[in-house]
Amino acid sequence: MAKPKGQLENNIRTLRFHHNEMSQKALAEAVGVSRQTIVAIEAAKYSPSLELAFLIANVFETPLEEVFSYTPAPPKK
Amino acid sequence: MSYHERNIVVYVITGIIVMAVYTLNMQGIIEAGLLEGPDAGPTIGWSVIKLIGGSIIATIIVTIIVTIINAIITKETDVDTSDERDKQIDLIGMKVAFIAFSVMFISIFLWLMFGLTPALALVGMIYAMWFSSIIESVVRLYLYRMGF
């Protein structure tokens, strides 16, 4: 049986606001993806690759663990 | 609607139009009994070549029309770029299409056991390929619209 998946969350929206109110489009161009991909990442509907996660963290000059957080799924009783 | 979503819609519309014309063509061929003699193979071969040619021409025409209309309405020009998310959506669509085609493929062979002619089985395979590509497009469009 497959292990239940946890939840990958991020605070990209907040970081964008604090970086001169960067737009989603500007962030997308900075990391080389489409604006829709940034929208999906912010909504936690798409989990970025490790490389893309690092690129996003580098844009904000912030450690990766301050941009993304992972909450494991509760263990089944 | 994004560039990729629009491309998928164009592909689906074009596919439906082309297969509708192909179906009318095949109906005439079947009614004329051309799939029952020794010429069945060449007849089906020619119909597929015409189908491929017609698909290419129809896709080019519809894509040009939609691109021009989109540029006039939105005053934006799209850039053809695919990132990792687009590739992942493509992969999921291909996986679903493969499963769908496999089910239809086996069904056709089961049907052969119960009396379907080989010529009609071949035509059935063509429809199976088309239908699985439509399923792939629907899955990809669904993932894009759900914000995957």
Side-chain angles (χ1 to χ4, degrees):
Chain A
M1 189 178 287
K3 269 177 101 177
K5 282 193 173 180
Q7 179 71 19
L8 183 68
E9 289 160 350
N10 64 83
N11 58 347
I12 293 173
R13 194 180 173 89
T14 307
L15 286 165
R16 280 196 299 112
F17 181 77
H18 290 305
H19 279 73
N20 299 320
E21 297 181 12
M22 185 190 292
S23 67
Q24 289 173 330
K25 188 177 178 187
L27 176 59
E29 285 171 4
V31 298
V33 297
S34 65
R35 190 187 69 83
Q36 287 81 14
T37 299
I38 297 298
V39 169
I41 292 172
E42 284 188 8
K45 288 187 176 181
Y46 172 71
S47 297
S49 66
L50 193 58
E51 184 181 357
L52 179 57
F54 270 108
L55 285 171
I56 292 171
N58 283 346
V59 166
F60 298 122
E61 297 171 331
T62 306
L64 186 67
E65 55 272 17
E66 289 182 25
V67 182
F68 294 95
S69 61
Y70 178 73
T71 309
K76 276 190 174 180
K77 290 180 183 173
Chain B
M1 195 177 268
S2 71
Y3 171 80
H4 294 284
E5 289 169 307
R6 205 167 46 249
N7 271 357
I8 295 168
V9 171
V10 165
Y11 179 78
V12 170
I13 292 171
T14 308
I16 290 170
I17 293 169
V18 168
M19 287 312 288
V21 172
Y22 180 75
T23 301
L24 287 170
N25 185 40
M26 284 309 299
Q27 197 175 2
I29 288 171
I30 290 169
E31 284 171 359
L34 293 173
L35 290 187
E36 290 163 17
D39 292 332
T43 303
I44 294 172
W46 268 117
S47 75
V48 170
I49 297 298
K50 283 190 278 185
L51 174 67
I52 292 169
S55 294
I56 292 169
I57 293 167
T59 302
I60 290 170
I61 292 170
V62 173
T63 300
I64 289 170
I65 292 170
V66 169
T67 303
I68 290 170
I69 292 171
N70 181 66
I72 291 169
I73 293 171
T74 65
K75 295 182 177 34
E76 284 175 6
T77 51
D78 292 311
V79 179
D80 180 13
T81 53
S82 276
D83 58 19
E84 58 176 56
R85 176 175 150 264
D86 298 314
K87 286 170 186 149
Q88 194 160 342
I89 289 174
D90 288 348
L91 275 173
I92 294 170
M94 280 198 301
K95 195 194 297 187
V96 174
F98 177 75
I99 294 168
F101 178 74
S102 301
V103 169
M104 288 185 271
F105 181 85
I106 292 166
S107 302
I108 289 170
F109 274 90
L110 286 171
W111 204 352
L112 266 173
M113 280 168 48
F114 291 104
L116 184 70
T117 63
L120 281 177
L122 201 51
V123 172
M125 289 293 179
I126 295 165
Y127 277 95
M129 279 189 269
W130 168 73
F131 198 59
S132 61
S133 76
I134 294 293
I135 290 173
E136 177 189 353
S137 299
V138 168
V139 166
R140 287 170 62 215
L141 190 61
Y142 172 79
L143 289 172
Y144 276 117
R145 299 306 292 173
M146 293 304 289
F148 174 80

